[in-house]
């Protein structure tokens, strides 16, 4: 996930719902005892620990030292690493990832690394932001960046939200056979104020601004979003849309 602006404490406070909603994709993985599994973008290891509890031997990687430290505290074999430059070679029965690959815009590099990491017949199970994910939030952020700070950006170097067809093609070019891929609209109550969501989950976008400007930018984006995403009771709902897939690498499992 992301870069070194990630805080495990802020994630726990403002974004725990992200890993809490990972149960469905974990069921698609169906980890088994003795399997060796790689968790890409393991974050603080909350879901990774569930895979370990199934009896699998799991390696988690994340680009954030703070997140890796939190995962290590959970007893996860977590390491610093980048999903876009994986160095594993035919080591894993499965590669799993939840809520991370939308932070890895070089999708072809990710897929190539997944293929290298898998053993023949191995599987790739993923869920991340898909087409339309946080569309209103992205619109508000790009408007604030442009109108208040003169920064013109489509945020595509920050977030990657493909359609099922686009991502299935990425997988196929890498050598993965996609068996199941779905785009799942998931309006998600966030359990905090939108300014806190932005502080945590839009940190790489806000990092385009000097730190002294970020609070004002978050507050203005939240004001723009309130009519669309905040109900009469004050509850915020993020306009999530998730891409979930299961694919396999050709060959006979060893």
């Amino acid at each position: 996930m992301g870069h070194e602006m990630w805080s495990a404490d802020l994630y726990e406070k403002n974004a725990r719902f992200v890993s809490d909603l990972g149960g469905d994709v974990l069921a698609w993985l169906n980890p088994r005892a003795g399997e060796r599994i790689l968790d890409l973008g393991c974050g603080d290891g909350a879901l990774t620990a569930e895979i370990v509890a199934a009896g699998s031997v799991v390696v988690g990687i994340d680009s954030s030292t703070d997140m890796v430290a939190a995962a290590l505290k959970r007893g996860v074999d977590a390491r610093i690493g980048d999903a876009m430059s994986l160095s594993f070679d035919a080591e894993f029965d499965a590669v799993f990832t939840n809520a991370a690959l939308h932070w890895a815009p070089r999708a072809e590099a990710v897929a190539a690394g997944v293929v290298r990491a898998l053993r023949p017949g191995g599987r790739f199970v993923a869920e991340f932001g898909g087409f339309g994910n946080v569309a209103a939030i992205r619109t508000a952020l790009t408007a604030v960046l442009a109108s208040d700070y003169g920064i013109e950006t489509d945020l595509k170097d920050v977030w990657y939200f493909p359609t099922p067809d686009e991502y299935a093609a990425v997988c196929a070019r890498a050598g993965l056979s996609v068996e199941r891929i779905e785009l799942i609209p998931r309006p998600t109550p966030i359990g905090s104020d939108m300014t806190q969501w932005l502080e945590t989950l839009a940190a790489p976008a806000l990092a385009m601004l000097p730190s002294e400007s970020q609070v004002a930018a978050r507050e203005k984006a939240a004001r723009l979003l309130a009519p669309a995403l905040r109900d009469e009771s004050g509850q915020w709902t993020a306009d999530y849309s998730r891409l979930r897939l299961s694919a396999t690498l050709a060959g006979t499992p060893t």
Side-chain angles (χ1 to χ4, degrees):
M1 292 179 62
H3 305 285
E4 209 29 72
M5 58 202 70
W6 289 101
S7 159
D9 288 341
L10 277 179
Y11 190 89
E12 176 64 39
K13 178 183 175 185
N14 298 329
R16 174 51 58 211
F17 64 89
V18 176
S19 57
D20 286 347
L21 291 169
D24 287 345
V25 70
L26 200 59
W28 278 31
L29 176 66
N30 187 26
R32 295 183 283 274
E35 287 191 312
R36 187 167 171 83
I37 297 176
L38 176 65
D39 184 356
L40 294 184
C42 64
D44 62 7
L47 270 182
T48 325
E50 294 188 35
I51 303 172
V52 172
S56 302
V57 179
V58 187
V59 174
I61 69 162
D62 201 283
S63 61
S64 163
T65 54
D66 200 44
M67 289 292 199
V68 166
L72 288 168
K73 286 181 182 177
R74 292 182 188 269
V76 171
D77 178 2
R79 310 169 188 179
I80 299 294
D82 184 344
M84 294 181 286
S85 57
L86 296 174
S87 58
F88 302 102
D89 185 13
E91 293 183 38
F92 296 98
D93 299 297
V95 175
F96 172 78
T97 182
N98 179 63
L101 292 191
H102 48 258
W103 299 109
R106 291 191 292 112
E108 306 278 356
V110 174
V114 167
V115 165
R116 283 195 303 272
L118 285 171
R119 294 170 177 157
R123 63 199 190 279
F124 176 45
V125 176
E127 183 175 304
F128 58 100
F131 186 72
N133 194 58
V134 295
I137 293 170
R138 282 183 290 145
T139 300
L141 282 170
T142 55
V144 170
L145 289 168
S147 64
D148 290 30
Y149 304 99
I151 299 172
E152 298 285 344
T153 175
D154 60 11
L155 296 177
K156 287 187 177 177
D157 56 348
V158 174
W159 280 314
Y160 170 67
F161 299 135
T163 67
D165 285 349
E166 287 168 351
Y167 200 69
V170 168
C171 290
R173 286 192 294 270
L176 290 162
S177 176
V178 176
E179 287 141 1
R180 192 175 174 192
I181 189 164
E182 299 177 1
L183 188 66
I184 306 164
R186 187 190 291 158
T188 302
I190 61 175
S192 64
D193 188 79
M194 179 55 67
T195 56
Q196 296 170 304
W197 187 100
L198 291 166
E199 180 184 15
T200 305
L201 289 168
L206 291 163
M208 297 179 187
L209 299 173
S211 57
E212 63 269 18
S213 301
Q214 292 182 20
V215 171
R218 292 200 305 267
E219 290 175 349
K220 181 168 183 180
R223 287 197 301 273
L224 291 171
L225 287 164
L229 299 183
R230 187 177 65 191
D231 67 19
E232 291 182 358
S233 72
Q235 170 67 56
W236 286 91
T237 297
D239 52 334
Y240 278 9
S241 178
R242 312 310 266 185
L243 188 71
R244 187 184 300 161
L245 76 144
S246 177
T248 56
L249 182 63
T252 304
T254 54

